[in-house]
């Protein structure tokens, strides 16, 4: 029983991280119909930059996390402006361009940061004995809390602010939003930046637990995409549910079926969703 | 269509014009991962190559010519390794190739070496089959799984009186091979064990560790290469498995990488690892020279012993060509078989009896080292020990 | 107030509008009449900056808006109700209305605007928290107009106001528009339904295959033989 | 004129082995593999506008099917390669049936997922595939000869290109382009867009399977690197840089990039980065690639 609870907790932690990373993808898909294949690289950059700032420049860990997320946000704005904007309306080119971008960034990360996985300093140390059932790393518990906090903030942003309203309006009808005075180019740009920043924050949060490597970016992107399809393209609620479901399933699957096939459960879900319910759990029926 | 013809013709001319000119240096090929998950090994190799070239060229080079190294990246991928090896042979036309640190890559490369009849000295790929295939062209001046397990790991486990062993192995040739050999030895010695398989490049081991905890092992033989080992160790502490169960890194270098302490924190204390190098253990004068030269050139102590391994095989290669008095492949193999050269880890002499992995194999002595208060203490074998094994309270 | 001069518009390779010129004065209700495919919607979208003309010029409030992006034109005080209403189906009525007050200037007056709009269309007050996509066509049209009014525009553009609506509802909406006009709102109606629209407007233009073929006071057009034949079924 | 040009290309291709040393012959063989890969990818991406990321995976299907049949079943590689081609085609049909209706993003994600599943299976079924360690498989010829392989690859590539050319010039080919240019118009003019896309996807996947099978038996070593995303990127970059949607583009792109990658080999680690940057600049500023640029310059003069 305690083992089961431990696997479940593990699943929740990964689920939270999956969810924030996937929220970034979903936000962008929802309003721009663009999948950012370089999403995983943003995650990796988030982790690396926070490491560089904390260890290299000696900035306090929390501040370095924030700075790295901000830096990736700015990078996202630039990518949207120079690379994504010219592809509006041509889905194929946006897919090709972001895929190429992901290869470039992955190799650039390899050159800039080197191949070594890096681990920014933990914010907390040690482990907590959970109800006398099992030991659990404190940093992991903190990650779960941070992920929940970020999800809450994003939900607030989307539901309660003008920016969020304009995002929802654009995702329902881009032209109409413009006809109401929404500068959709600006909203797109900020959303893209925000999508990248979410990936980066997932990376920065997870890095002290699972250090990041440039070669790990592909798996990160794929996980985020699976979550988005599972939850329903553009549905934020779906992202959270999908992220947690995937996190828990992967961990329980790894524990009770096969560790080697840990990552395949996600793709089996993906195929299943596509066959049975292509619009996902919470998506609009197409 | 005209443009296609033009482009093709252009290529042909370019390609034709770029064939290698007569060389006034002797080229030695090196294979190893400069990119990919084990790119750290590439860096270690580069340092070793630089030191070896300084050493060889300062003492007159080879056959009166300066030696040059062509370092082909394998990315740790067998396919790239095989094609890289082929490039060294067909394009750079090197008379001999040395290096490699991945068993899987080495197993692909020896096929190419055999096909093109090029002498190949391996330094850090441990799989038995590499020499067990008994290819005439393939030599190994480095550890073999069987040697490491039979002479070091298994006796260590037995002599220290561990009652229950856990084997955790990655899915690579090295991991599979060394785990099988360990199982064989433990069975023979009647020591109970469990084996767990993990993914190469995995980062989260909580599931495996939780399963392992139920088994209550006293020592965990971790056959995981790369930073995966760091995460494994740190997480073993988080779930409360280590240091009650000591962790032995069956490869070595990852426990010495700069990132080790950053990644594992306090969990590094009491960790054990296999090594062929220790600051206070110098088996030959060459070892001392290597250490001093390294400090002079790079301003720090050598950490990854693979730097020294590549240094050794380059010395062996240079020596063999010199004695062969030509770059002819048969002559070099003859010379290699007669090698009796002092390198940093001892005097190299290749086994000559076909039939087992010991053919064309020379096994350097190894050490079991433990981190005690962030200091490396050799705890096994006894004759080299600088301290005693410490267990958790 | 709005002046369109010699505008040529292409969609892809095909030219849709040919030297179209028209004008809307302050305080007027103007109709542009046209059959399906005459280029009405293109004209609507061109005025709003969703397409940019190849030739010609568009002025609003004395400023050249030919190359301006849509959101800027809208923020200058032009509000629109596009064909098919295009309310945001997954937002509530209230959120839809709030979106209408998106422009920074309108946000400040949002509360009063909301009251004003709900007084004009009381049904919107009743259904404030309903998800907009679940309302009837007429209610959606009122919502679409209400949303446009939230920005307190000086001019309102409506494309196909009566399409698919019951006559009772249409009358109700027209009376609201006349009421707005009497309060000083300038209105441009782009319509297929000639009789009712002309009866509710001051002047009209007739658009055929991308060209303005007729113009004049609405009463004149109502009695024009060509208009009668082509648009009034007589 | 055109005929003379073709004959010229053919003559050069025949003469290649007599000019090149072993090393460059190897490069030539590999470029023929990439010509097949990039051209067949172009069939689905360039001509019907669907970005498949499973192309390298299908090559992997071909390589592993044939390799394992040869190794465990003693099947002759020639038969094995045919089996691999068929299997890749069947899987392509299944995968296409799953996601081609939705197309676009869904197709890209599903193909990406498929390629990941395949990688995981190959990696984990060690007892059969030897995972990342790679599987040594027999060659096509009993005696190893690069010249033999070169002519085999050349023959298959030419047959492949002729077949593709005929397909594109047929009614089906017209339908491909109609689907790309305007899906709505295509569907109203009676073209079943889903069926057309599915056909393109299936045949393109089968072609990748064929190329992969040959490639595996040439290298005599198959590893999960064949169906990897890195490999996928190379194929995509070749098509994009050469010119997507044109017949010659991917051919030129494949040969150019493969040879270029040998020239810039000294910069080892940088070469993917460099290709990426070139591909990005081309995709961004000259979406019709080198062929498109060339035509533009030609027309201007």
């Amino acid at each position: 029983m305690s083992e089961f609870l431990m696997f479940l907790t593990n699943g929740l932690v990964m689920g939270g991280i999956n969810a924030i990373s996937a929220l970034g993808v979903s936000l962008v898909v929802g309003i721009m119909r663009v999948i950012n294949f370089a999403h995983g690289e943003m995650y990796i950059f988030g982790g690396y930059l926070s490491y560089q700032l904390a260890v290299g420049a000696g900035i306090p860990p929390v501040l370095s996390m924030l700075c790295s997320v901000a830096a990736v946000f700015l990078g996202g704005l630039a990518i949207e402006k120079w690379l994504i904007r010219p592809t509006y309306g041509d889905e194929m080119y946006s897919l090709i361009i972001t895929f190429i971008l992901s290869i470039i960034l992955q190799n650039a990360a390899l050159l800039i940061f080197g191949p070594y996985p890096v681990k920014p300093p933990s914010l907390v140390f040690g482990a907590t004995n959970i109800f006398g059932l099992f030991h659990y790393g404190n940093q992991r518990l903190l990650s779960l809390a941070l992920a929940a906090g970020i999800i809450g903030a994003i939900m607030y942003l989307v539901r309660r602010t003008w920016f969020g309203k304009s995002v929802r309006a654009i995702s329902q009808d881009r032209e109409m939003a413009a006809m109401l005075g929404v500068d959709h180019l600006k909203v797109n740009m900020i959303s893209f930046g925000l999508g990248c920043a979410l990936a980066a924050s997932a990376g920065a949060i997870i890095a002290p637990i699972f250090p990041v490597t440039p070669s790990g970016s592909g798996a990160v992107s794929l996980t985020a995409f699976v979550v988005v399809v599972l939850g329903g393209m553009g549905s934020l609620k779906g992202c959270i549910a999908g992220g947690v479901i995937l996190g828990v399933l992967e961990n329980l699957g790894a524990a009770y079926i096969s560790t080697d096939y840990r990552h395949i459960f996600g793709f089996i879900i993906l195929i299943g969703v596509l066959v049975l319910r292509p619009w996902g759990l919470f998506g609009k029926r197409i | 269509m005209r443009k296609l013809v033009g482009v093709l013709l252009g290529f042909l001319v370019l390609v034709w014009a770029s064939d290698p000119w007569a060389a006034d240096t002797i080229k030695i090929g090196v294979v190893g991962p400069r990119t990919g998950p084990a790119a750290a090994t590439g860096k270690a190799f580069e340092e070793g190559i630089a030191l070896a070239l300084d050493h060889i060229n300062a003492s007159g080079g080879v056959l009166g010519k300066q030696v040059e190294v062509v370092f082909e990246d394998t990315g740790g991928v067998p396919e790239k390794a095989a094609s890289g090896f082929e490039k060294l042979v067909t394009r750079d036309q090197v008379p001999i190739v040395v290096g490699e640190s991945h068993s899987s890559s080495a197993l692909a490369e020896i096929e190419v070496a055999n096909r093109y009849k090029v002498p190949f000295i391996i330094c850090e790929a441990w799989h038995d089959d590499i020499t067990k295939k008994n290819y005439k062209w393939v030599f190994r001046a480095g550890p073999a799984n069987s040697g490491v397990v039979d002479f070091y790991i298994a006796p260590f486990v037995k002599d220290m009186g561990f009652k229950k062993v856990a084997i955790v192995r990655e899915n690579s040739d090295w991991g599979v091979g060394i785990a099988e050999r360990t199982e064989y030895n433990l069975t023979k010695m009647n020591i109970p064990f469990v084996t767990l398989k993990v993914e190469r490049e995995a980062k989260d081991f909580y599931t495996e560790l939780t399963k392992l905890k139920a088994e209550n092992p006293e020592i965990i033989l971790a056959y995981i290469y790369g930073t995966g080992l760091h995460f494994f160790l740190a997480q073993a502490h988080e779930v409360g498995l280590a240091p009650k169960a000591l962790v032995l890194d069956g490869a070595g270098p990852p426990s010495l990488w700069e990132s080790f302490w950053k990644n594992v924190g306090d969990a590094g204390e009491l960790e054990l690892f296999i090594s062929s190098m220790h600051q206070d253990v110098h088996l030959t004068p060459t070892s001392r020279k290597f250490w001093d030269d390294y400090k002079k050139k790079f301003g720090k102590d050598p950490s990854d012993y693979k730097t020294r391994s590549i240094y050794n095989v380059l010395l062996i290669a240079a020596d063999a060509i010199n004695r062969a008095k030509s770059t002819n492949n048969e002559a070099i193999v003859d010379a290699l078989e007669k090698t009796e050269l002092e390198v940093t880890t001892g005097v190299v002499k290749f086994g000559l009896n076909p039939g087992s992995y010991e053919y064309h194999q020379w096994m350097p002595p190894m050490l079991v080292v433990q981190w005690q208060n962030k200091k490396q203490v050799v705890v096994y074998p006894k004759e080299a020990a600088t301290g005693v094994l410490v267990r958790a309270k | 107030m709005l002046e369109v001069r010699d505008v040529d518009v292409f969609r892809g390779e095909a030219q849709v509008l040919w030297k179209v010129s028209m004008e809307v004065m302050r305080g007027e209700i103007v109709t542009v009449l046209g059959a399906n495919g005459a280029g009405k919607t293109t004209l609507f979208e061109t005025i709003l900056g969703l397409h940019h003309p190849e030739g010609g010029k568009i002025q609003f409030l004395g400023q050249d808006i030919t190359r301006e992006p849509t959101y800027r034109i809208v923020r200058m005080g032009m509000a629109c109700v596009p064909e098919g209403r295009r309310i945001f189906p997954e937002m509530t009525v209230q959120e839809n209305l709030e979106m209408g007050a998106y422009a920074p200037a309108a946000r400040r007056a949002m509360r009063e605007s909301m009251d004003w709009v709900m007084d004009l269309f009381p049904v919107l007050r009743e259904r404030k928290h309903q998800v907009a996509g679940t309302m009837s066509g007429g209610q959606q049209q009122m919502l679409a107009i209400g949303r446009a009014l939230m920005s307190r525009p000086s001019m309102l553009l409506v494309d196909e106001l009566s399409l698919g609506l019951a006559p009772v509802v249409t009358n109700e909406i027209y009376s609201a528009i006349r009421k707005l006009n009497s309060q000083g709102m300038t209105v441009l109606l782009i319509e297929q339904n000639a009789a009712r629209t002309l009866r509710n407007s001051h002047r009209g233009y007739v658009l055929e295959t991308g060209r303005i073929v007729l113009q004049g006071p609405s009463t004149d057009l109502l009695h024009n033989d060509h208009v009668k034949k082509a648009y009034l079924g007589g | 004129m055109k005929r003379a040009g073709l004959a010229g290309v053919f003559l050069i291709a025949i003469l290649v082995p007599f000019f090149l040393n072993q090393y460059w012959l190897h490069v030539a063989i590999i470029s023929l593999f990439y010509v097949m890969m990039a051209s067949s990818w172009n069939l689905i991406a360039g001509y019907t506008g669907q970005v498949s990321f499973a192309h390298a995976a299908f090559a992997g299907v071909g390589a592993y099917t044939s390799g394992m049949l040869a190794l465990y079943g003693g099947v002759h590689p020639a038969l094995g390669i045919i089996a691999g081609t068929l299997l890749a085609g069947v899987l392509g049909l299944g995968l296409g049936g799953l996601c081609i209706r939705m197309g676009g993003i869904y197709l890209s994600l599903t193909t990406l997922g498929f390629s990941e599943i395949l990688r995981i299976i190959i990696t984990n079924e060690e007892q059969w595939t030897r995972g990342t360690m790679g599987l040594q498989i027999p060659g096509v010829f009993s005696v190893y000869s690069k010249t033999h392989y070169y002519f085999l690859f050349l023959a298959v590539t030419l047959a492949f290109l002729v077949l593709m050319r005929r397909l594109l010039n047929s009614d089906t080919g017209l339908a491909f382009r109609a689907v790309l240019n305007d899906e709505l118009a295509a569907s109203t003019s009676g073209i079943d867009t889903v069926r057309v896309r599915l056909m393109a996807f299936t045949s393109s996947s089968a072609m990748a399977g064929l190329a992969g099978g040959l490639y595996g038996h040439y290298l005599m070593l198959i590893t999960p690197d064949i169906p990897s995303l890195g490999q996928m990127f190379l194929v995509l970059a070749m098509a994009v840089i050469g010119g997507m949607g044109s017949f010659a583009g991917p051919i030129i792109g494949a040969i150019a990039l493969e040879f270029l990658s040998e020239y810039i080999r000294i910069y080892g680690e940088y070469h993917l980065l460099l290709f990426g940057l070139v591909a990005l600049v081309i995709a961004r500023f000259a979406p019709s690639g080198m062929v498109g640029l060339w035509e533009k310059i030609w027309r201007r003069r």
Side-chain angles (χ1 to χ4, degrees), chain A residues 36 44 56-57 91 95 101 139 175 254 266:
Chain A
N36 180 13
I44 300 298
E91 209 170 58
L95 288 168
L101 186 67
Q139 181 70 29
E175 238 176 31

Side-chain angles (χ1 to χ4, degrees), chain B residues 243-281:
Chain B
K244 212 176 90 193
L246 289 171
V247 175
L248 173 81
D249 165 11
S255 300
L256 291 163
W257 287 348
E258 278 174 50
S259 54
F260 178 75
W261 288 102
K262 282 184 208 144
N263 287 343
V264 302
D266 296 338
E269 178 65 10
L270 300 189
E271 191 232 17
L272 294 149
F273 58 93
I274 290 284
S275 179
S276 65
M277 181 166 82
H278 186 272
Q279 197 171 345
D280 300 332
V281 181

Side-chain angles (χ1 to χ4, degrees), chain B residues 102-116:
Chain B
H102 282 297
S103 291
S104 310
S105 298
L107 284 169
E109 286 157 351
I110 59 172
E111 300 297 330
V112 184
N114 201 37
R115 195 186 303 149
Y116 285 96

Side-chain angles (χ1 to χ4, degrees), chain C residues 15-69:
Chain C
Q15 185 160 3
V16 184
L17 296 183
W18 308 73
K19 297 254 173 273
V20 168
S21 295
M22 57 162 295
E23 202 175 351
V24 183
M25 305 293 196
R26 193 177 290 275
E28 271 189 317
I29 301 181
V30 174
T31 302
V32 175
L33 217 56
N36 246 340
K40 291 188 313 262
T41 297
T42 304
L43 176 63
F44 175 87
E45 289 176 355
T46 307
I47 293 172
L48 280 163
L50 290 166
H51 302 289
H52 295 300
E54 296 283 309
K57 210 173 164 186
I58 305 173
Q59 282 200 324
F60 180 55
L61 297 171
Q63 285 184 45
D64 186 358
I65 56 163
T66 321
R67 303 257 140 225
E68 288 290 306

Side-chain angles (χ1 to χ4, degrees), chain A residues 33 35 37 82 86 91-93 95-96 99-100 103-104 107 111 222 225 229 233 260-261 267 274-275 278, chain D residues 45 49 51 53 98 102 104-106 108-110 112 116-117 124-125 233 244 270 272-273 276-277 284 287:
Chain A
R33 307 303 296 164
I35 278 271
F37 278 99
W82 300 110
E91 209 170 58
M92 180 175 82
Y93 261 96
L95 288 168
I96 288 179
F99 182 69
I100 296 174
I103 298 285
I104 292 178
N107 284 280
L111 283 176
L222 278 164
F225 301 155
V229 173
M233 290 247 182
D260 303 326
Y261 284 98
F267 299 108
L274 287 170
V275 173
Chain D
V51 186
F53 288 122
L98 204 64
M102 292 174 288
I105 291 175
Y106 280 93
S108 295
L109 290 185
T110 316
L112 199 68
E116 185 64 9
I117 289 183
N124 283 317
E125 293 307 312
F233 164 73
M244 274 170 65
Y270 297 84
L272 272 185
L273 185 63
L277 288 171
R284 167 75 172 77

Side-chain angles (χ1 to χ4, degrees), chain A residues 89-284:
Chain A
D90 190 338
E91 209 170 58
M92 180 175 82
Y93 261 96
S94 73
L95 288 168
I96 288 179
I97 281 197
T98 60
F99 182 69
I100 296 174
L101 186 67
S102 83
I103 298 285
I104 292 178
L105 291 178
Q106 195 177 322
N107 284 280
L110 203 65
L111 283 176
I112 303 168
F113 304 122
Y116 302 95
V118 296
K119 185 171 170 297
S122 298
L123 301 178
V124 289
F125 292 90
T128 303
N129 196 336
I130 311 277
F131 306 126
L133 291 169
F134 57 90
H135 284 276
Y136 207 73
N138 284 337
Q139 181 70 29
R140 290 182 181 220
L141 291 172
L142 180 67
S143 301
L144 186 59
L146 283 175
I150 290 177
I151 291 171
I154 289 295
M155 289 315 262
Y156 177 82
L157 184 74
V158 171
R159 298 237 168 270
R160 297 269 176 260
T161 64
W162 279 105
F163 173 75
K165 248 176 267 175
S166 63
V167 163
R168 281 193 291 151
I170 291 176
S171 69
Q172 288 172 44
D173 190 335
R174 178 194 290 190
E175 238 176 31
M176 189 62 232
M179 288 190 271
L180 292 174
V182 178
D183 179 357
H184 76 273
L185 293 180
K186 202 169 110 193
V187 176
N188 281 356
M189 192 160 102
I190 295 175
S191 306
F192 195 88
L194 202 59
C196 295
L198 279 168
S201 60
I205 292 175
I206 203 77
I209 305 173
F210 307 138
V212 289
T213 45
S215 54
S217 54
V220 174
S221 298
L222 278 164
T223 308
F225 301 155
V226 170
V227 169
V228 168
V229 173
L230 174 62
M233 290 247 182
S235 158
L236 301 187
K237 236 189 302 175
C239 269
I240 299 161
V244 173
I245 291 173
L246 190 68
V248 170
L249 275 184
E250 274 194 3
N251 273 282
L252 292 184
Y256 295 110
I257 302 173
S258 159
T259 325
D260 303 326
Y261 284 98
R262 177 191 301 259
H263 296 296
I264 221 169
F265 300 120
F267 299 108
I268 292 171
I269 293 173
L270 175 73
I271 304 284
V273 167
L274 287 170
V275 173
L276 301 172
R277 200 181 157 88
W279 55 93
L281 296 178
F282 293 90
K284 273 167 280 182

